[in-house]
Amino acid sequence: MSAHCRLTGAKPGFGHQISHSHRRTARRFDPNIQRKRYWLPSEGRHVRLTLSAKAIKTIDSIGIEAAVARIRARGVNV
């Protein structure tokens, strides 16, 4: 599964793992991505979205219809 949020656009960040001896190795900071299914009343169907935990909380506050409008405004298919 891709580590990209469809609503917020969150994606992995990159940096270094620093050991006790201060040696640096590359690492990835992945966002907390979940797959969640929502009922979309305007279209009479379910949609399965790949979302970050923050985006799930955003949908809880603004509603799925507004969230899908934002996702489509970003140019992502739903």
Side-chain angles (χ1 to χ4, degrees):
M1 171 170 43
S2 174
H4 291 261
C5 176
R6 296 178 82 180
L7 179 60
T8 63
K11 57 188 177 183
F14 295 89
H16 290 97
Q17 177 76 36
I18 301 180
S19 71
H20 178 69
S21 65
H22 217 65
R23 292 174 70 100
R24 293 182 167 123
T25 55
R27 65 158 292 180
R28 234 168 92 135
F29 295 90
D30 285 330
N32 184 4
I33 297 294
Q34 311 291 325
R35 288 190 71 192
K36 193 142 169 67
R37 195 177 117 172
Y38 289 98
W39 173 251
L40 198 57
S42 64
E43 298 182 18
R45 68 185 180 105
H46 284 97
V47 290
R48 188 177 300 275
L49 300 173
T50 306
L51 302 166
S52 64
K54 181 179 177 180
I56 292 171
K57 293 174 192 172
T58 301
I59 291 175
D60 289 345
S61 68
I62 68 170
I64 186 63
E65 297 290 341
V68 167
R70 283 189 195 180
I71 291 169
R72 287 184 173 145
R74 291 183 67 236
V76 179
N77 273 344
V78 176

